[in-house]
Every structure is written in C-alpha cells, then in structure tokens.
Amino acid sequence: MTVSQSAPSLSTTIAGISLETCIYNASGPLCATEEELDVIGKSAAGAILSKSATLEYREGNPQPRYYETSWGSINSMGLPNEGFEYYANYAPKAAAHGKPYIISVSGMGYDDNTKMIEALADNENVAAIELNLSCPNIPGKPQAGYDFEQSRTLLEKVFEVVRLPLGVKLPPYFDIPHFEMMADVLNSFPISFATCINSIGNGLVIDTEKECVVIRPKQGFGGIGGDFAKPTALANVRKFYTLLKDDVDIIGVGGIKNGMDAFEHILCGAGALQIGTQFMREGADCFARIANELQDIMRQKGYSSIDEFKGKLKDMGE
Ligand code: RRO
C-alpha cells in the first residue's frame, strides 16, 4: 500500500491571525490601489498588506523614483498613497478575498498616526496594523526607528488608542547595542509582531555611462532592496527573534526571491515572509512560485510544517 504524502503546510499564525500560507506582499510595491490590492487578493499570497498610508493623499516624490538592478532595487517613492480612508474603505473588499487584510500606517507625526489608528479601532475587516517606523525617503524627516526615544513616545501614544493587533515595521539595524535598545523599547509594549526589515536607507546606484544617479529625488539617494538586503535582513530577523518577548511574531522581509531565501528567513525565526523587490519584478505569480519552492525544500528535509524549523538556526559555539 502506498501512503499518500500530503504537501508540507505553510500555514502560520501572526498576531493571533491564521494565514493559510506564510508568504505575502511587503508594503510598498504594487499595493497602493484597489486594482493592485485585488491582484494580491486573487493570488496565492497569504494576506493582503496595503501601501503605507498617511492621513491625506500624497503624490510622493518626483519620477523616476524606482530603479531595478540585476541585484535588486533602489527607491525613493516618498510615500505616494491614496490616503488612509481609501485603505480603510477597501477592507470589505479585502475580506471578500478570504484572506487577512493588514493596513500599513505611516503618519507624518504622532497625531496623524494616532488619528489613523483610532479610526481603525472598530473596522472588523482589518486584521492588524503594521506601523511603519522606517520610511527612509521623506526629505528632512529622519526614520523614527533610528530615534529610540521618539519610537517609545510614539508607541506610548499609539497604545492609548489601538484596539487591533499592532506590529511595527523596523529599519535595518547594524550595531548590537542598537538592536538591544530597540528591543528594550518594543518589549515595553504589547506589540504583536515586528517586521524586519525596511529597505536599507540612503544607498546610491550609479549609471556609469551617463555618470549620473538613477533616481531623481534626494540627489539619487534611496532605499536598497533585493539581494544585497538579505544578509542584513536575516541578521535583523535573528536578533529580534532572540531579543523580543516570546509572544511577538517576527515577519521576515529582505532579499526573498526563491524558496531557499524563504527557508533561511524562517530558520532565523520568521513566522511569515513578505516579498518586495521580487514581487515588483515578477508580479503576483511570485507568491505561488516561492511557496512551491519552499515546500520542495521542506519535503527534501522531511519537514511538514514551518514550526518544525522556525528559529532553529544553529551557531557554531564560542
Ligand atoms: O514610499 C517610500 O518611499 C518608502 C517607504 Br513609505 C518605506 O517604508 N520604505 C521604502 O523603501 N520606501
């Protein structure tokens, strides 16, 4: 008798919300309009995450503001979005796709953030909020996540009004004391998840033929995503997995373009994965492809669920 082997499960739970599959879109690429969100809804993505919303509509930075390279991307979009209400109003349509809808919020100050988060309190079709502490592209505005006291103050205000599960989107950190300082801030609040990492801020890509930068805003400086972001993303996933309270889920994003990249993120501790640059490059087919590749790897290794290897990265001892 042959025993039929069921496919390895990619299901996961983030912020107490069940996802049929742990792979979905990163906030940023192709998630700013209803049409784009519907494409994600119809795809194999495990959730629908919106572009970071501000209180009002924003045009964003001047074009060209996104550039793809062989190894990834640089962007200085400048938070172009339809305004918070648009994403709140999309919630029933997202629910019709049968998968959790998460709204990314990126207010221009404390009050904007609390207003948006308060307004979402009773939206039963929104599963969670991802508070963006890390947009690198607003001229003259530092990334909140690099200012630990500002982050603490913002979270104090936010947790006075929030009713939905709330997580934070973090910038990449590079220094061990900085990981510890941010973990100390986050561990003071009942956050549900931490998404690691946003793009690596203020890189520079050059067109050597033209001897010119490749994007217009900020003299060509922009956030780096793709292959080069992966080692930094893995380090951030790993560090926050070990430093944050046990009930905080880690969502990995940065350089995931195939099943093995996804496997590495989970090994470091990610309970869900977001795809940014590769989604922009390939479109929504990337979710099913990466999921299938991850399942193949799990089959080869004898894993039937992601919990069997999540966070189980070994080190080599001292
Ligand atoms: O819109 C952007 O320029 C942008 C945002 Br809000 C962000 O969080 N990360 C990024 O790379 N670009």
PDB file of all heavy atoms in Angstrom, residues 258-296:
ATOM      1  N   ASN A 258      13.430  33.371  -3.749  1.00  0.00           N
ATOM      2  CA  ASN A 258      13.173  31.951  -4.028  1.00  0.00           C
ATOM      3  C   ASN A 258      12.911  31.208  -2.721  1.00  0.00           C
ATOM      4  O   ASN A 258      12.979  31.786  -1.624  1.00  0.00           O
ATOM      5  CB  ASN A 258      14.338  31.336  -4.815  1.00  0.00           C
ATOM      6  CG  ASN A 258      15.655  31.434  -4.059  1.00  0.00           C
ATOM      7  OD1 ASN A 258      15.704  31.253  -2.837  1.00  0.00           O
ATOM      8  ND2 ASN A 258      16.737  31.730  -4.774  1.00  0.00           N
ATOM      9  N   GLY A 259      12.620  29.924  -2.863  1.00  0.00           N
ATOM     10  CA  GLY A 259      12.260  29.123  -1.703  1.00  0.00           C
ATOM     11  C   GLY A 259      13.375  29.028  -0.676  1.00  0.00           C
ATOM     12  O   GLY A 259      13.116  28.988   0.534  1.00  0.00           O
ATOM     13  N   MET A 260      14.627  28.995  -1.145  1.00  0.00           N
ATOM     14  CA  MET A 260      15.733  28.871  -0.190  1.00  0.00           C
ATOM     15  C   MET A 260      15.888  30.152   0.638  1.00  0.00           C
ATOM     16  O   MET A 260      16.203  30.095   1.833  1.00  0.00           O
ATOM     17  CB  MET A 260      17.035  28.522  -0.936  1.00  0.00           C
ATOM     18  CG  MET A 260      18.118  27.977  -0.029  1.00  0.00           C
ATOM     19  SD  MET A 260      17.584  26.515   0.913  1.00  0.00           S
ATOM     20  CE  MET A 260      17.997  25.175  -0.218  1.00  0.00           C
ATOM     21  N   ASP A 261      15.674  31.302  -0.003  1.00  0.00           N
ATOM     22  CA  ASP A 261      15.714  32.567   0.766  1.00  0.00           C
ATOM     23  C   ASP A 261      14.628  32.532   1.851  1.00  0.00           C
ATOM     24  O   ASP A 261      14.851  32.958   2.992  1.00  0.00           O
ATOM     25  CB  ASP A 261      15.459  33.772  -0.147  1.00  0.00           C
ATOM     26  CG  ASP A 261      16.498  33.917  -1.255  1.00  0.00           C
ATOM     27  OD1 ASP A 261      17.687  33.641  -1.009  1.00  0.00           O
ATOM     28  OD2 ASP A 261      16.105  34.312  -2.377  1.00  0.00           O
ATOM     29  N   ALA A 262      13.454  32.045   1.467  1.00  0.00           N
ATOM     30  CA  ALA A 262      12.349  31.952   2.427  1.00  0.00           C
ATOM     31  C   ALA A 262      12.729  31.008   3.564  1.00  0.00           C
ATOM     32  O   ALA A 262      12.511  31.319   4.750  1.00  0.00           O
ATOM     33  CB  ALA A 262      11.088  31.456   1.716  1.00  0.00           C
ATOM     34  N   PHE A 263      13.326  29.877   3.210  1.00  0.00           N
ATOM     35  CA  PHE A 263      13.740  28.891   4.213  1.00  0.00           C
ATOM     36  C   PHE A 263      14.722  29.528   5.216  1.00  0.00           C
ATOM     37  O   PHE A 263      14.606  29.350   6.432  1.00  0.00           O
ATOM     38  CB  PHE A 263      14.388  27.689   3.514  1.00  0.00           C
ATOM     39  CG  PHE A 263      14.807  26.599   4.453  1.00  0.00           C
ATOM     40  CD1 PHE A 263      13.874  25.731   4.972  1.00  0.00           C
ATOM     41  CD2 PHE A 263      16.138  26.455   4.822  1.00  0.00           C
ATOM     42  CE1 PHE A 263      14.256  24.727   5.866  1.00  0.00           C
ATOM     43  CE2 PHE A 263      16.528  25.468   5.712  1.00  0.00           C
ATOM     44  CZ  PHE A 263      15.585  24.591   6.228  1.00  0.00           C
ATOM     45  N   GLU A 264      15.677  30.303   4.687  1.00  0.00           N
ATOM     46  CA  GLU A 264      16.673  30.946   5.563  1.00  0.00           C
ATOM     47  C   GLU A 264      16.005  31.915   6.545  1.00  0.00           C
ATOM     48  O   GLU A 264      16.368  31.970   7.722  1.00  0.00           O
ATOM     49  CB  GLU A 264      17.699  31.709   4.713  1.00  0.00           C
ATOM     50  CG  GLU A 264      18.650  30.828   3.939  1.00  0.00           C
ATOM     51  CD  GLU A 264      19.641  31.662   3.129  1.00  0.00           C
ATOM     52  OE1 GLU A 264      20.493  32.344   3.730  1.00  0.00           O
ATOM     53  OE2 GLU A 264      19.540  31.660   1.893  1.00  0.00           O
ATOM     54  N   HIS A 265      15.056  32.691   6.048  1.00  0.00           N
ATOM     55  CA  HIS A 265      14.365  33.643   6.930  1.00  0.00           C
ATOM     56  C   HIS A 265      13.645  32.908   8.068  1.00  0.00           C
ATOM     57  O   HIS A 265      13.674  33.339   9.219  1.00  0.00           O
ATOM     58  CB  HIS A 265      13.362  34.480   6.128  1.00  0.00           C
ATOM     59  CG  HIS A 265      13.921  35.779   5.604  1.00  0.00           C
ATOM     60  ND1 HIS A 265      13.738  36.986   6.243  1.00  0.00           N
ATOM     61  CD2 HIS A 265      14.655  36.061   4.513  1.00  0.00           C
ATOM     62  CE1 HIS A 265      14.322  37.948   5.559  1.00  0.00           C
ATOM     63  NE2 HIS A 265      14.892  37.417   4.481  1.00  0.00           N
ATOM     64  N   ILE A 266      12.998  31.787   7.715  1.00  0.00           N
ATOM     65  CA  ILE A 266      12.245  31.033   8.745  1.00  0.00           C
ATOM     66  C   ILE A 266      13.212  30.415   9.754  1.00  0.00           C
ATOM     67  O   ILE A 266      12.980  30.458  10.968  1.00  0.00           O
ATOM     68  CB  ILE A 266      11.353  29.964   8.082  1.00  0.00           C
ATOM     69  CG1 ILE A 266      10.304  30.639   7.197  1.00  0.00           C
ATOM     70  CG2 ILE A 266      10.661  29.105   9.149  1.00  0.00           C
ATOM     71  CD1 ILE A 266       9.533  29.686   6.284  1.00  0.00           C
ATOM     72  N   LEU A 267      14.324  29.897   9.240  1.00  0.00           N
ATOM     73  CA  LEU A 267      15.342  29.327  10.127  1.00  0.00           C
ATOM     74  C   LEU A 267      15.816  30.375  11.149  1.00  0.00           C
ATOM     75  O   LEU A 267      16.104  30.074  12.307  1.00  0.00           O
ATOM     76  CB  LEU A 267      16.519  28.865   9.260  1.00  0.00           C
ATOM     77  CG  LEU A 267      17.367  27.674   9.664  1.00  0.00           C
ATOM     78  CD1 LEU A 267      16.545  26.465  10.059  1.00  0.00           C
ATOM     79  CD2 LEU A 267      18.310  27.326   8.509  1.00  0.00           C
ATOM     80  N   CYS A 268      15.878  31.629  10.718  1.00  0.00           N
ATOM     81  CA  CYS A 268      16.310  32.709  11.621  1.00  0.00           C
ATOM     82  C   CYS A 268      15.225  33.098  12.612  1.00  0.00           C
ATOM     83  O   CYS A 268      15.499  33.802  13.584  1.00  0.00           O
ATOM     84  CB  CYS A 268      16.712  33.948  10.813  1.00  0.00           C
ATOM     85  SG  CYS A 268      18.271  33.750   9.949  1.00  0.00           S
ATOM     86  N   GLY A 269      13.979  32.673  12.349  1.00  0.00           N
ATOM     87  CA  GLY A 269      12.914  32.985  13.305  1.00  0.00           C
ATOM     88  C   GLY A 269      11.676  33.628  12.726  1.00  0.00           C
ATOM     89  O   GLY A 269      10.732  33.927  13.465  1.00  0.00           O
ATOM     90  N   ALA A 270      11.652  33.844  11.413  1.00  0.00           N
ATOM     91  CA  ALA A 270      10.467  34.483  10.823  1.00  0.00           C
ATOM     92  C   ALA A 270       9.286  33.518  10.816  1.00  0.00           C
ATOM     93  O   ALA A 270       9.414  32.360  10.396  1.00  0.00           O
ATOM     94  CB  ALA A 270      10.771  34.929   9.395  1.00  0.00           C
ATOM     95  N   GLY A 271       8.138  34.025  11.242  1.00  0.00           N
ATOM     96  CA  GLY A 271       6.913  33.225  11.216  1.00  0.00           C
ATOM     97  C   GLY A 271       6.067  33.531   9.996  1.00  0.00           C
ATOM     98  O   GLY A 271       5.079  32.858   9.715  1.00  0.00           O
ATOM     99  N   ALA A 272       6.439  34.577   9.271  1.00  0.00           N
ATOM    100  CA  ALA A 272       5.808  34.905   7.996  1.00  0.00           C
ATOM    101  C   ALA A 272       6.822  35.691   7.184  1.00  0.00           C
ATOM    102  O   ALA A 272       7.822  36.190   7.725  1.00  0.00           O
ATOM    103  CB  ALA A 272       4.522  35.713   8.193  1.00  0.00           C
ATOM    104  N   LEU A 273       6.560  35.784   5.874  1.00  0.00           N
ATOM    105  CA  LEU A 273       7.539  36.375   4.964  1.00  0.00           C
ATOM    106  C   LEU A 273       6.849  37.341   4.028  1.00  0.00           C
ATOM    107  O   LEU A 273       5.752  37.056   3.538  1.00  0.00           O
ATOM    108  CB  LEU A 273       8.187  35.266   4.119  1.00  0.00           C
ATOM    109  CG  LEU A 273       8.709  34.069   4.902  1.00  0.00           C
ATOM    110  CD1 LEU A 273       8.991  32.912   3.975  1.00  0.00           C
ATOM    111  CD2 LEU A 273       9.954  34.461   5.668  1.00  0.00           C
ATOM    112  N   GLN A 274       7.500  38.455   3.771  1.00  0.00           N
ATOM    113  CA  GLN A 274       6.953  39.421   2.810  1.00  0.00           C
ATOM    114  C   GLN A 274       7.917  39.554   1.626  1.00  0.00           C
ATOM    115  O   GLN A 274       9.138  39.514   1.802  1.00  0.00           O
ATOM    116  CB  GLN A 274       6.779  40.784   3.478  1.00  0.00           C
ATOM    117  CG  GLN A 274       5.783  40.781   4.615  1.00  0.00           C
ATOM    118  CD  GLN A 274       5.710  42.132   5.320  1.00  0.00           C
ATOM    119  OE1 GLN A 274       6.484  43.050   5.028  1.00  0.00           O
ATOM    120  NE2 GLN A 274       4.788  42.248   6.259  1.00  0.00           N
ATOM    121  N   ILE A 275       7.326  39.772   0.447  1.00  0.00           N
ATOM    122  CA  ILE A 275       8.121  39.885  -0.779  1.00  0.00           C
ATOM    123  C   ILE A 275       7.967  41.299  -1.341  1.00  0.00           C
ATOM    124  O   ILE A 275       6.836  41.744  -1.592  1.00  0.00           O
ATOM    125  CB  ILE A 275       7.656  38.857  -1.841  1.00  0.00           C
ATOM    126  CG1 ILE A 275       7.390  37.472  -1.217  1.00  0.00           C
ATOM    127  CG2 ILE A 275       8.680  38.758  -2.977  1.00  0.00           C
ATOM    128  CD1 ILE A 275       8.565  36.773  -0.615  1.00  0.00           C
ATOM    129  N   GLY A 276       9.078  41.998  -1.530  1.00  0.00           N
ATOM    130  CA  GLY A 276       9.036  43.369  -2.048  1.00  0.00           C
ATOM    131  C   GLY A 276       9.589  43.457  -3.457  1.00  0.00           C
ATOM    132  O   GLY A 276       8.856  43.407  -4.448  1.00  0.00           O
ATOM    133  N   THR A 277      10.909  43.569  -3.566  1.00  0.00           N
ATOM    134  CA  THR A 277      11.551  43.749  -4.872  1.00  0.00           C
ATOM    135  C   THR A 277      11.157  42.653  -5.866  1.00  0.00           C
ATOM    136  O   THR A 277      10.872  42.931  -7.041  1.00  0.00           O
ATOM    137  CB  THR A 277      13.090  43.782  -4.701  1.00  0.00           C
ATOM    138  OG1 THR A 277      13.438  44.906  -3.878  1.00  0.00           O
ATOM    139  CG2 THR A 277      13.800  43.908  -6.030  1.00  0.00           C
ATOM    140  N   GLN A 278      11.123  41.402  -5.415  1.00  0.00           N
ATOM    141  CA  GLN A 278      10.818  40.308  -6.341  1.00  0.00           C
ATOM    142  C   GLN A 278       9.358  40.355  -6.807  1.00  0.00           C
ATOM    143  O   GLN A 278       9.054  40.021  -7.941  1.00  0.00           O
ATOM    144  CB  GLN A 278      11.155  38.958  -5.691  1.00  0.00           C
ATOM    145  CG  GLN A 278      11.021  37.777  -6.619  1.00  0.00           C
ATOM    146  CD  GLN A 278      11.968  37.842  -7.830  1.00  0.00           C
ATOM    147  OE1 GLN A 278      13.044  38.438  -7.754  1.00  0.00           O
ATOM    148  NE2 GLN A 278      11.555  37.259  -8.941  1.00  0.00           N
ATOM    149  N   PHE A 279       8.460  40.816  -5.944  1.00  0.00           N
ATOM    150  CA  PHE A 279       7.050  40.994  -6.334  1.00  0.00           C
ATOM    151  C   PHE A 279       6.955  42.065  -7.413  1.00  0.00           C
ATOM    152  O   PHE A 279       6.257  41.928  -8.415  1.00  0.00           O
ATOM    153  CB  PHE A 279       6.234  41.353  -5.091  1.00  0.00           C
ATOM    154  CG  PHE A 279       4.794  41.718  -5.343  1.00  0.00           C
ATOM    155  CD1 PHE A 279       4.040  41.100  -6.343  1.00  0.00           C
ATOM    156  CD2 PHE A 279       4.166  42.688  -4.561  1.00  0.00           C
ATOM    157  CE1 PHE A 279       2.709  41.443  -6.559  1.00  0.00           C
ATOM    158  CE2 PHE A 279       2.844  43.034  -4.769  1.00  0.00           C
ATOM    159  CZ  PHE A 279       2.117  42.418  -5.777  1.00  0.00           C
ATOM    160  N   MET A 280       7.712  43.136  -7.235  1.00  0.00           N
ATOM    161  CA  MET A 280       7.732  44.222  -8.218  1.00  0.00           C
ATOM    162  C   MET A 280       8.253  43.710  -9.569  1.00  0.00           C
ATOM    163  O   MET A 280       7.741  44.057 -10.626  1.00  0.00           O
ATOM    164  CB  MET A 280       8.634  45.342  -7.675  1.00  0.00           C
ATOM    165  CG  MET A 280       8.609  46.605  -8.455  1.00  0.00           C
ATOM    166  SD  MET A 280       7.079  47.516  -8.174  1.00  0.00           S
ATOM    167  CE  MET A 280       7.435  48.968  -9.153  1.00  0.00           C
ATOM    168  N   ARG A 281       9.257  42.856  -9.500  1.00  0.00           N
ATOM    169  CA  ARG A 281       9.907  42.351 -10.722  1.00  0.00           C
ATOM    170  C   ARG A 281       9.031  41.321 -11.436  1.00  0.00           C
ATOM    171  O   ARG A 281       8.883  41.345 -12.655  1.00  0.00           O
ATOM    172  CB  ARG A 281      11.235  41.693 -10.323  1.00  0.00           C
ATOM    173  CG  ARG A 281      12.153  41.324 -11.471  1.00  0.00           C
ATOM    174  CD  ARG A 281      13.274  40.393 -11.002  1.00  0.00           C
ATOM    175  NE  ARG A 281      14.142  40.980  -9.996  1.00  0.00           N
ATOM    176  CZ  ARG A 281      15.281  41.632 -10.259  1.00  0.00           C
ATOM    177  NH1 ARG A 281      15.675  41.784 -11.493  1.00  0.00           N
ATOM    178  NH2 ARG A 281      16.009  42.120  -9.281  1.00  0.00           N
ATOM    179  N   GLU A 282       8.439  40.418 -10.663  1.00  0.00           N
ATOM    180  CA  GLU A 282       7.798  39.218 -11.235  1.00  0.00           C
ATOM    181  C   GLU A 282       6.275  39.298 -11.256  1.00  0.00           C
ATOM    182  O   GLU A 282       5.626  38.577 -12.013  1.00  0.00           O
ATOM    183  CB  GLU A 282       8.256  38.006 -10.394  1.00  0.00           C
ATOM    184  CG  GLU A 282       7.761  36.660 -10.860  1.00  0.00           C
ATOM    185  CD  GLU A 282       8.302  35.525  -9.976  1.00  0.00           C
ATOM    186  OE1 GLU A 282       9.290  35.734  -9.224  1.00  0.00           O
ATOM    187  OE2 GLU A 282       7.730  34.430 -10.041  1.00  0.00           O
ATOM    188  N   GLY A 283       5.724  40.160 -10.429  1.00  0.00           N
ATOM    189  CA  GLY A 283       4.271  40.178 -10.300  1.00  0.00           C
ATOM    190  C   GLY A 283       3.798  39.118  -9.313  1.00  0.00           C
ATOM    191  O   GLY A 283       4.604  38.400  -8.705  1.00  0.00           O
ATOM    192  N   ALA A 284       2.475  38.990  -9.206  1.00  0.00           N
ATOM    193  CA  ALA A 284       1.880  38.195  -8.125  1.00  0.00           C
ATOM    194  C   ALA A 284       2.105  36.693  -8.258  1.00  0.00           C
ATOM    195  O   ALA A 284       1.840  35.947  -7.317  1.00  0.00           O
ATOM    196  CB  ALA A 284       0.387  38.500  -8.030  1.00  0.00           C
ATOM    197  N   ASP A 285       2.629  36.245  -9.417  1.00  0.00           N
ATOM    198  CA  ASP A 285       2.955  34.817  -9.544  1.00  0.00           C
ATOM    199  C   ASP A 285       4.065  34.407  -8.584  1.00  0.00           C
ATOM    200  O   ASP A 285       4.248  33.222  -8.295  1.00  0.00           O
ATOM    201  CB  ASP A 285       3.419  34.489 -10.975  1.00  0.00           C
ATOM    202  CG  ASP A 285       2.268  34.520 -11.959  1.00  0.00           C
ATOM    203  OD1 ASP A 285       1.103  34.568 -11.507  1.00  0.00           O
ATOM    204  OD2 ASP A 285       2.529  34.517 -13.178  1.00  0.00           O
ATOM    205  N   CYS A 286       4.824  35.393  -8.113  1.00  0.00           N
ATOM    206  CA  CYS A 286       5.955  35.056  -7.231  1.00  0.00           C
ATOM    207  C   CYS A 286       5.486  34.345  -5.962  1.00  0.00           C
ATOM    208  O   CYS A 286       6.219  33.525  -5.409  1.00  0.00           O
ATOM    209  CB  CYS A 286       6.780  36.295  -6.885  1.00  0.00           C
ATOM    210  SG  CYS A 286       5.976  37.433  -5.740  1.00  0.00           S
ATOM    211  N   PHE A 287       4.269  34.641  -5.501  1.00  0.00           N
ATOM    212  CA  PHE A 287       3.844  34.051  -4.215  1.00  0.00           C
ATOM    213  C   PHE A 287       3.701  32.536  -4.322  1.00  0.00           C
ATOM    214  O   PHE A 287       4.166  31.795  -3.457  1.00  0.00           O
ATOM    215  CB  PHE A 287       2.541  34.706  -3.735  1.00  0.00           C
ATOM    216  CG  PHE A 287       2.655  36.204  -3.577  1.00  0.00           C
ATOM    217  CD1 PHE A 287       1.879  37.070  -4.336  1.00  0.00           C
ATOM    218  CD2 PHE A 287       3.566  36.741  -2.682  1.00  0.00           C
ATOM    219  CE1 PHE A 287       2.011  38.442  -4.206  1.00  0.00           C
ATOM    220  CE2 PHE A 287       3.700  38.119  -2.543  1.00  0.00           C
ATOM    221  CZ  PHE A 287       2.920  38.973  -3.312  1.00  0.00           C
ATOM    222  N   ALA A 288       3.046  32.074  -5.400  1.00  0.00           N
ATOM    223  CA  ALA A 288       2.876  30.619  -5.576  1.00  0.00           C
ATOM    224  C   ALA A 288       4.224  29.956  -5.873  1.00  0.00           C
ATOM    225  O   ALA A 288       4.533  28.885  -5.347  1.00  0.00           O
ATOM    226  CB  ALA A 288       1.899  30.344  -6.711  1.00  0.00           C
ATOM    227  N   ARG A 289       5.032  30.610  -6.704  1.00  0.00           N
ATOM    228  CA  ARG A 289       6.327  30.010  -7.072  1.00  0.00           C
ATOM    229  C   ARG A 289       7.217  29.827  -5.840  1.00  0.00           C
ATOM    230  O   ARG A 289       7.761  28.735  -5.598  1.00  0.00           O
ATOM    231  CB  ARG A 289       7.050  30.881  -8.114  1.00  0.00           C
ATOM    232  CG  ARG A 289       8.406  30.313  -8.523  1.00  0.00           C
ATOM    233  CD  ARG A 289       9.177  31.224  -9.446  1.00  0.00           C
ATOM    234  NE  ARG A 289       9.428  32.562  -8.904  1.00  0.00           N
ATOM    235  CZ  ARG A 289      10.343  32.842  -7.984  1.00  0.00           C
ATOM    236  NH1 ARG A 289      11.128  31.897  -7.497  1.00  0.00           N
ATOM    237  NH2 ARG A 289      10.504  34.090  -7.563  1.00  0.00           N
ATOM    238  N   ILE A 290       7.345  30.888  -5.037  1.00  0.00           N
ATOM    239  CA  ILE A 290       8.218  30.786  -3.858  1.00  0.00           C
ATOM    240  C   ILE A 290       7.652  29.762  -2.871  1.00  0.00           C
ATOM    241  O   ILE A 290       8.389  28.976  -2.264  1.00  0.00           O
ATOM    242  CB  ILE A 290       8.420  32.181  -3.215  1.00  0.00           C
ATOM    243  CG1 ILE A 290       9.167  33.101  -4.188  1.00  0.00           C
ATOM    244  CG2 ILE A 290       9.190  32.069  -1.899  1.00  0.00           C
ATOM    245  CD1 ILE A 290       9.217  34.570  -3.780  1.00  0.00           C
ATOM    246  N   ALA A 291       6.319  29.740  -2.739  1.00  0.00           N
ATOM    247  CA  ALA A 291       5.690  28.767  -1.836  1.00  0.00           C
ATOM    248  C   ALA A 291       6.000  27.345  -2.294  1.00  0.00           C
ATOM    249  O   ALA A 291       6.375  26.481  -1.486  1.00  0.00           O
ATOM    250  CB  ALA A 291       4.180  29.003  -1.794  1.00  0.00           C
ATOM    251  N   ASN A 292       5.882  27.089  -3.603  1.00  0.00           N
ATOM    252  CA  ASN A 292       6.164  25.743  -4.118  1.00  0.00           C
ATOM    253  C   ASN A 292       7.615  25.356  -3.891  1.00  0.00           C
ATOM    254  O   ASN A 292       7.926  24.226  -3.508  1.00  0.00           O
ATOM    255  CB  ASN A 292       5.847  25.665  -5.620  1.00  0.00           C
ATOM    256  CG  ASN A 292       4.349  25.671  -5.862  1.00  0.00           C
ATOM    257  OD1 ASN A 292       3.578  25.253  -5.007  1.00  0.00           O
ATOM    258  ND2 ASN A 292       3.933  26.171  -7.021  1.00  0.00           N
ATOM    259  N   GLU A 293       8.517  26.331  -4.119  1.00  0.00           N
ATOM    260  CA  GLU A 293       9.946  26.041  -3.915  1.00  0.00           C
ATOM    261  C   GLU A 293      10.235  25.752  -2.442  1.00  0.00           C
ATOM    262  O   GLU A 293      11.023  24.866  -2.114  1.00  0.00           O
ATOM    263  CB  GLU A 293      10.790  27.225  -4.408  1.00  0.00           C
ATOM    264  CG  GLU A 293      10.759  27.379  -5.923  1.00  0.00           C
ATOM    265  CD  GLU A 293      11.438  28.666  -6.411  1.00  0.00           C
ATOM    266  OE1 GLU A 293      12.015  29.403  -5.578  1.00  0.00           O
ATOM    267  OE2 GLU A 293      11.375  28.927  -7.624  1.00  0.00           O
ATOM    268  N   LEU A 294       9.585  26.502  -1.566  1.00  0.00           N
ATOM    269  CA  LEU A 294       9.787  26.275  -0.128  1.00  0.00           C
ATOM    270  C   LEU A 294       9.256  24.890   0.260  1.00  0.00           C
ATOM    271  O   LEU A 294       9.902  24.159   1.028  1.00  0.00           O
ATOM    272  CB  LEU A 294       9.094  27.385   0.675  1.00  0.00           C
ATOM    273  CG  LEU A 294       9.128  27.245   2.196  1.00  0.00           C
ATOM    274  CD1 LEU A 294      10.562  27.176   2.724  1.00  0.00           C
ATOM    275  CD2 LEU A 294       8.396  28.439   2.855  1.00  0.00           C
ATOM    276  N   GLN A 295       8.107  24.535  -0.293  1.00  0.00           N
ATOM    277  CA  GLN A 295       7.552  23.201   0.016  1.00  0.00           C
ATOM    278  C   GLN A 295       8.469  22.089  -0.486  1.00  0.00           C
ATOM    279  O   GLN A 295       8.636  21.066   0.181  1.00  0.00           O
ATOM    280  CB  GLN A 295       6.154  23.051  -0.582  1.00  0.00           C
ATOM    281  CG  GLN A 295       5.109  23.788   0.235  1.00  0.00           C
ATOM    282  CD  GLN A 295       3.732  23.739  -0.411  1.00  0.00           C
ATOM    283  OE1 GLN A 295       3.604  23.962  -1.612  1.00  0.00           O
ATOM    284  NE2 GLN A 295       2.719  23.463   0.380  1.00  0.00           N
ATOM    285  N   ASP A 296       9.085  22.295  -1.654  1.00  0.00           N
ATOM    286  CA  ASP A 296      10.037  21.284  -2.169  1.00  0.00           C
ATOM    287  C   ASP A 296      11.195  21.097  -1.193  1.00  0.00           C
ATOM    288  O   ASP A 296      11.615  19.970  -0.904  1.00  0.00           O
ATOM    289  CB  ASP A 296      10.602  21.725  -3.535  1.00  0.00           C
ATOM    290  CG  ASP A 296       9.602  21.504  -4.660  1.00  0.00           C
ATOM    291  OD1 ASP A 296       8.621  20.759  -4.429  1.00  0.00           O
ATOM    292  OD2 ASP A 296       9.790  22.085  -5.748  1.00  0.00           O
TER     293      ASP A 296
END
